[in-house]
């Protein structure tokens, strides 16, 4: 604006221009006030610090306490190795378990196959059993043009050597043929209340719930296969395992292992170790929305009819249809997520767009950061595909039961600077961030950070 023009406006306060300018100024000041109000709300969340705990991994996808009385942790690396780490972060020289030779041949670049989940039996101290989810080569009974076979297997430690798993002890509990390399899920978690093993399985891959090996209604909506589901089995019963009597889908053409359905690629599930012990599942979206779900028995979480809180059309994945069914093919209402955020690739410069691929975490129940207690701590893998820029997030449940989402502030530059692959927790409920500086399986750039108070 020219100074002369400004003078003219100011000298004639009744001019339309003056009133317009004043109006704009008040709008701007309101926006500024609103922003500072929002910032003051956000400022309640304290900054936390990431303290390097262990490094030298490739793509750390799971960290779980061994419950051996010594605080030992098991770290699963996607390349097929399980390491023992002491409570102080020292990585034992010899791997606890190597599945390198049982895993499908992995790409050095971006890869969704490999060792994808680990859980120790709740009675590990007595029975020495651990459970893994990994991508094996395609079994011969599968269609020849499919990609690989997911295995959920039980292993037992060596007799007389509690620091090593007997690789010959493998008992394959479940095999699931996978048409594509992607969307494998893979988390394993024992329910703190029921003691059953919960297994997250992706929808079969490709995109939009379509392609070879995809059911016409979408694998996630089809109870006759295990894809796009949360499974639940009793590893203490039967030859291989038992089906809990209250598993919800036990009829003709239904897989009785299914506990919940309608997931796309549940990348990391976890139980709240406190509170009501609910099961959280972060579900990676297609193009527009990433979501967090609380998984209830028999729930249908909507994919590929819905994405986040929105309708989804597999024919037009970048558009949100106005309408879609509220109920599944069996007449059951879909369950909405508790939280969603926008994908930054589709919603550029939108403050509600946090990244491109959700990474599920844990509810914080530790003792070192009071302000995080009860919050669901999770992440987005990265704001950018090519540049490692993971974002730490926190979900907070209000007294009225509504969930809200905010970025977790980090001390210093406020950047993780790596892809956030997964989270882990220890026996005390303290949380760890599992990162990879590369978006592929190379250069051992994987690190584990403990989340600590500033
Ligand atoms: Ca959903």
């Amino acid at each position: 604006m020219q100074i002369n023009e400004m003078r003219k406006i100011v000298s004639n306060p009744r001019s339309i221009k003056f009133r317009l300018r004043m109006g704009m100024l008040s709008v701007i000041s309101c926006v500024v006030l609103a922003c500072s109000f929002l910032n003051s709300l956000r400022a309640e969340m304290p900054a936390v610090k990431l303290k390097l705990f262990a490094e030298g991994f490739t793509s750390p996808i799971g960290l779980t306490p061994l419950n051996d009385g010594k605080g030992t942790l098991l770290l699963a690396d996607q390349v097929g190795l399980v390491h023992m780490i002491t409570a102080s972060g020292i990585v034992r020289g010899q791997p606890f378990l190597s599945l390198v030779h049982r895993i499908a041949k992995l790409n050095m670049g971006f890869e969704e196959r490999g060792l994808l989940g680990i859980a120790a039996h709740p009675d590990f101290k007595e029975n020495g059993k651990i459970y893994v989810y990994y991508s094996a080569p395609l079994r011969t009974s599968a269609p020849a043009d499919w990609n690989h076979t997911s295995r959920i297997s039980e292993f037992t430690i060596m007799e007389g050597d509690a620091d090593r798993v007997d690789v010959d002890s493998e008992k394959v509990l479940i095999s699931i043929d996978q048409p594509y390399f992607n969307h494998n899920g893979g988390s394993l978690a024992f329910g703190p209340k029921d003691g059953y093993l919960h297994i997250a399985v992706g929808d079969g891959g490709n995109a939009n719930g379509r392609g070879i090996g995809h059911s016409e209604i979408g694998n996630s909506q089809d109870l006759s296969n295990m894809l796009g589901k949360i499974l639940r089995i009793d590893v203490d019963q039967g030859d291989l395992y038992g089906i809990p009597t209250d598993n919800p889908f036990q009829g003709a053409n239904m897989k009785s292992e299914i506990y919940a359905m309608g997931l796309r690629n549940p990348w990391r599930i976890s139980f709240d170790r406190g509170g009501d012990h609910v099961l959280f599942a972060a579900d990676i979206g297609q193009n527009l929305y990433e979501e967090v779900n609380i998984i209830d028995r028999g729930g249908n979480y909507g994919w590929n009819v819905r994405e986040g809180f929105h309708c989804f059309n597999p024919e037009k994945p970048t558009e949100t249809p106005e309408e879609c069914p509220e109920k599944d093919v069996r007449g059951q209402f879909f369950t909405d997520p508790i939280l969603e955020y926008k994908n930054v690739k589709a919603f550029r410069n939108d403050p509600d767009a946090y990244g491109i691929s959700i990474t599920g975490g844990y509810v914080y129940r530790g003792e070192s950061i009071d302000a995080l207690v009860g919050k669901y701590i999770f992440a987005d893998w990265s704001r950018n595909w090519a540049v490692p820029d993971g974002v730490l997030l926190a979900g907070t449940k209000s007294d009225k039961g509504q969930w809200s989402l905010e970025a977790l502030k980090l001390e210093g530059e406020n950047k993780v600077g790596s892809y956030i692959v997964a989270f882990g927790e220890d026996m005390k409920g303290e949380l760890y961030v599992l990162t990879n500086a590369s978006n592929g399986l190379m250069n051992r750039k994987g690190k584990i950070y403990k989340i600590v108070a500033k």
Side-chain angles (χ1 to χ4, degrees):
M1 190 191 299
Q2 299 293 317
I3 290 177
N4 284 346
E5 197 190 339
M6 183 69 167
R7 275 197 199 117
K8 224 161 52 189
I9 295 166
V10 173
S11 64
N12 182 5
R14 285 189 199 106
S15 79
I16 292 168
K17 267 187 179 174
F18 177 81
R19 274 181 268 162
L20 276 174
R21 306 277 171 189
M22 286 301 110
M24 275 172 62
L25 277 176
S26 61
V27 166
I28 289 166
S29 57
C30 283
V31 168
V32 168
L33 277 175
C35 285
S36 58
F37 175 66
L38 280 177
N39 282 337
S40 71
L41 278 183
R42 285 188 178 135
E44 286 174 18
M45 179 76 84
V48 296
K49 212 160 68 178
L50 294 186
K51 187 180 164 196
L52 185 64
F53 180 71
E55 58 187 327
F57 312 106
T58 302
S59 175
I61 57 87
L63 180 76
T64 190
L66 194 50
N67 190 17
D68 63 348
K70 293 181 275 188
T72 305
L73 297 157
L74 292 181
L75 184 278
D77 191 322
Q78 192 179 345
V79 293
L81 295 169
V82 180
H83 301 280
M84 282 181 119
I85 307 181
T86 67
S88 57
I90 297 163
V91 184
R92 298 266 174 83
Q94 135 194 295
F96 183 62
L97 169 64
S98 173
L99 293 170
V100 170
H101 300 293
R102 294 199 187 175
I103 280 179
K105 191 177 181 324
L106 301 179
N107 296 314
M108 293 292 281
F110 181 75
E111 179 61 276
E112 294 188 19
R113 298 169 303 176
L115 173 56
L116 299 178
I118 187 161
H121 193 287
D123 299 327
F124 173 83
K125 228 170 151 181
E126 288 77 44
N127 64 22
K129 287 178 178 174
I130 69 147
Y131 298 83
V132 294
Y133 177 128
Y134 70 92
S135 315
L138 187 68
R139 60 179 167 173
T140 50
S141 60
D145 58 347
W146 286 29
N147 186 273
H148 69 281
T149 300
S150 293
R151 271 187 198 161
I152 295 99
S153 289
E154 176 187 282
F155 287 87
T156 311
I157 52 168
M158 299 281 276
E159 253 186 73
D161 184 357
D163 292 351
R164 212 146 51 98
V165 168
D166 178 3
V167 80
D168 295 327
S169 69
E170 180 171 17
K171 210 163 94 177
V172 179
L173 305 183
I174 295 176
S175 296
I176 305 171
D177 298 322
Q178 301 279 0
Y180 294 90
F181 88 105
N182 60 341
H183 300 186
N184 301 312
S187 299
L188 303 179
F190 280 94
K193 285 199 287 196
D194 59 21
Y196 299 138
L197 181 62
H198 295 68
I199 305 156
V201 187
D203 71 357
N206 198 35
N208 305 313
R210 294 283 171 93
I212 60 162
H214 281 269
S215 158
E216 206 165 301
I217 57 169
N219 284 333
S220 311
Q221 294 300 319
D222 184 343
L223 289 167
S224 71
N225 69 57
M226 297 194 204
L227 298 164
K229 313 292 185 327
I230 305 291
L231 312 178
R232 183 175 76 156
I233 58 172
D234 182 351
V235 297
D236 297 323
Q237 301 295 327
D239 272 350
L240 290 174
Y241 58 88
I243 300 295
T245 52
D246 62 341
N247 266 16
F249 304 110
Q250 305 193 40
N253 295 321
M254 294 176 180
K255 294 287 183 194
S256 55
E257 291 88 349
I258 298 170
Y259 181 69
M261 63 191 295
L263 284 313
R264 181 178 176 275
N265 184 14
W267 182 247
R268 308 299 87 182
I269 66 170
S270 71
F271 281 95
D272 182 353
R273 59 164 52 213
D276 296 329
H277 300 300
V278 294
L279 175 59
F280 286 79
D283 200 15
I284 299 174
Q286 182 62 51
N287 295 59
L288 303 181
Y289 300 100
E290 303 294 310
E291 63 181 74
V292 180
N293 300 282
I294 286 181
I295 301 295
D296 290 321
R297 190 174 69 91
N300 186 338
Y301 293 84
W303 179 250
N304 62 348
V305 182
R306 303 178 69 80
E307 186 189 32
F309 289 99
H310 311 268
C311 290
F312 179 81
N313 176 0
E315 303 295 334
K316 294 178 179 171
T318 57
E319 296 170 20
T320 298
E322 296 258 315
E323 287 181 25
C324 58
E326 291 182 300
K327 296 175 183 174
D328 64 17
V329 292
R330 296 167 52 254
Q332 181 184 335
F333 280 102
F334 293 118
T335 304
D336 275 338
I338 56 162
L339 284 173
E340 71 165 19
Y341 62 86
K342 294 168 180 166
N343 186 317
V344 80
K345 281 195 289 191
F347 298 92
R348 289 188 188 280
N349 303 317
D350 187 320
D352 295 326
Y354 286 99
I356 60 177
S357 182
I358 196 168
T359 297
Y362 292 84
V363 174
Y364 181 77
R365 298 285 178 191
E367 288 180 352
S368 66
I369 316 167
D370 283 349
L372 293 193
V373 172
K375 292 183 192 295
Y376 177 66
I377 307 301
F378 65 111
D380 190 275
W381 181 65
S382 178
R383 264 183 276 253
N384 188 301
W385 177 271
V387 180
D389 190 12
V391 185
L392 284 171
L393 300 166
T396 305
K397 191 181 178 182
S398 74
D399 295 340
K400 290 180 179 162
Q402 298 287 319
W403 286 84
S404 62
L405 161 67
E406 63 196 299
L408 201 55
K409 206 169 162 356
L410 281 179
E411 191 194 51
E413 283 183 46
N414 198 27
K415 267 189 178 295
V416 177
S418 284
Y419 299 92
I420 301 176
V421 182
F423 286 80
E425 66 171 351
D426 64 22
M427 278 311 275
K428 294 175 178 164
E430 299 301 334
L431 298 186
Y432 300 77
V433 185
L434 280 50
T435 68
N436 184 357
S438 129
N439 61 11
L441 300 183
M442 45 199 151
N443 302 333
R444 290 175 156 246
K445 287 180 173 174
K447 294 183 180 182
I448 304 173
Y449 296 93
K450 189 171 185 177
I451 302 178
V452 297
K454 198 175 105 175

